[in-house]
Amino acid sequence: RVEDELRSKLIHSLPDNGTTTGVAVTQWDRLQTSSKCCGVNSSDDWINYAKHIKPPQSCCILADCSKTPSGSEYYPDGC
């Protein structure tokens, strides 16, 4: 299925843990900030697939990445 293939390619485009610069990092940061989304399916993609300890700052709902009154730190929807 086309959707599954695209989702797989997007997951594989997540920058690996330790990668802090480059086109992929910039594009993911821009997408997540402007679209208010995180990862491909959810913020868990950064931990499960890219091996990050936590999602990047561009996934944070609040600028300081603190929890909102509802208890969320990160945008709930994937991009």
Side-chain angles (χ1 to χ4, degrees):
R1 223 168 106 196
V2 174
E3 183 179 326
D4 294 337
E5 182 71 21
L6 179 58
R7 189 174 302 279
S8 175
K9 288 186 184 287
L10 286 170
I11 285 171
H12 284 91
S13 76
L14 293 169
D16 290 336
N17 184 24
T19 304
T20 57
T21 60
V23 175
V25 172
T26 302
Q27 294 302 322
W28 271 106
D29 284 345
R30 186 175 294 146
L31 173 65
Q32 292 175 148
T33 301
S34 66
S35 300
K36 298 183 178 179
C37 58
C38 187
V40 178
N41 302 298
S42 72
S43 60
D44 291 339
D45 292 340
W46 288 101
I47 297 159
N48 296 334
Y49 300 110
K51 307 302 181 212
H52 287 244
I53 295 170
K54 62 182 182 178
Q57 181 79 26
S58 59
C59 282
C60 296
I61 295 171
L62 301 176
D64 65 356
C65 229
S66 61
K67 290 189 178 185
T68 63
S70 67
S72 300
E73 294 174 73
Y74 308 111
Y75 296 121
D77 298 322
C79 299

